[in-house]
Amino acid sequence: MPKIDSVDFFYLSMPEIQDIGDGSQDALLVRISAGSEIGWGECEASPLVSIASLVCPMSHSACKPVIQSVINQPLNGIEDIRSIHRTVRENSLDLLQADHTLSGIDIALWDLLGKLHGEPVYRLLGYPSAYPKLPYASVLFGDSEQETYQKARRISQAGFRAAKFGWGPFGRGSVQDDRSQVMAAREGLGKDHILLIDAGTIWGDDIQAASDRIQVLQECHVTWLEEPFYNGALSAYLHLASLSKDVQLAGGEGSHNEYQAQHMIDYGHVGYIQIDSGRIGGLTSAKRVADYAHKKGVTYVNHTFTSHLALSASIQPYAGLEKDFLCEYPVELKPLAYELSLEHLIPDHDGYIRLPEKPGLGITPDLDGIKKYLVDVDILVNGKRLYQTPILK
Ligand SMILES: [Mg+2]
């Protein structure tokens, strides 16, 4: 009977971290073993803080280190993953990083269970088949409108039929500056492509600042405006949703559990709910959101700005929803994030990407390739070693 023998976290980082909205500059890779099988996952959060939450000393009964709820637990079926998920949330209720840490662990558990059962994860999640997804090239705005235009041209020439521009200077200057940026993106991309805009929470909860940009988004036929406000600024979302006409709101990547995502749907009136499996509590939570969104007629989209391991993990929860066909696809990954895996989800001749049919997530970390990015961490408390970077291979 398989039980969880080890839980290892590997902190990977580019040599230099830049102060830009690019989440692919470091990574926290999770390895879980049960018997002879290994599962892999990835947490989408500050690696060192997540490592701390894995091993920190107990503060009280609802603030325990995450590893305590995982190690030595049985792993025979889906119910065991759900049980671990529940136990982590109970035992680490007041440990605020726990949802992030749980996310990578939960992903690795599904990968592991898929390998134990010889099934791709989407099938374990209840989908008979995985539909192809249309990748949208996800990039940062250029520092100038010319740079944005050139990026859009390159994306279009590379064969992508959809693109998202976000962060960078957008929302930081005047309404006119943003107008020029959005128009440059549309012009470079061509009129038939899907264009999405990501404000990266730049307006906080300032409804006026956001609504001032709606007109140009409409003129440029932008499909969605993403994260105009902080995740959870529900009344601001609700108000803007009533003003934004045919530009729908998108959000939810900042959700740390399924309830926050449900609130974005019910009370923020987003038309697209964007979920990062590496943040929300893994595939267990993400699938619950996908089911809920489907019931409510809201479109589910993955949020992924890191490796192809994370990409596979983020697509699995809505793999079987045919009409939710868009998929975030990072195209400006740092070498670390691209080199993290041996396999990559490359668009097929028809421009769509398809999940691997191999057991688990179908993505294998490149242990030789990532060695050079491994950060050496040693955590001592009162002379007792709580964590030391494990041996990768
Ligand atoms: Mg975003």
Side-chain angles (χ1 to χ4, degrees), residues 229-264:
F229 311 121
Y230 301 130
N231 200 75
L234 299 174
S235 47
Y237 272 93
L238 180 64
H239 193 149
L240 188 64
S242 71
L243 303 172
S244 62
K245 300 176 190 151
D246 46 343
V247 179
Q248 295 217 54
L249 300 187
E253 69 181 78
S255 301
H256 300 159
N257 57 51
E258 48 272 49
Y259 311 107
Q260 292 176 355
Q262 288 172 12
H263 293 161
M264 290 291 278

Side-chain angles (χ1 to χ4, degrees), residues 139-141 148 151-152 155 163-167 185 195-198:
V139 296
L140 305 179
F141 272 108
T148 295
K151 278 194 187 201
I155 288 167
K164 184 173 84 186
F165 289 79
W167 298 73
L195 174 61
L196 316 163
I197 298 294
D198 181 0

Side-chain angles (χ1 to χ4, degrees), residues 30 40-44 81 85 88-89 97-111 121 125 255-258 261 275-290 300 310 312-318 361:
V30 177
W40 295 95
E42 196 178 328
C43 299
E44 172 54 7
I81 298 184
H85 197 271
V88 168
R89 284 200 161 145
Q97 191 76 2
D99 288 312
H100 293 293
T101 310
L102 169 62
S103 299
I105 289 174
D106 183 90
I107 291 169
L109 289 175
W110 283 98
D111 184 42
V121 167
L125 288 170
S255 301
H256 300 159
N257 57 51
E258 48 272 49
I275 298 301
D276 197 315
S277 294
R279 286 182 186 162
I280 195 156
L283 303 178
T284 303
S285 296
K287 177 62 164 55
R288 287 175 188 154
V289 178
Y300 186 105
S312 173
S314 275
I315 297 173
Q316 306 283 344
Y318 74 116
L361 297 172

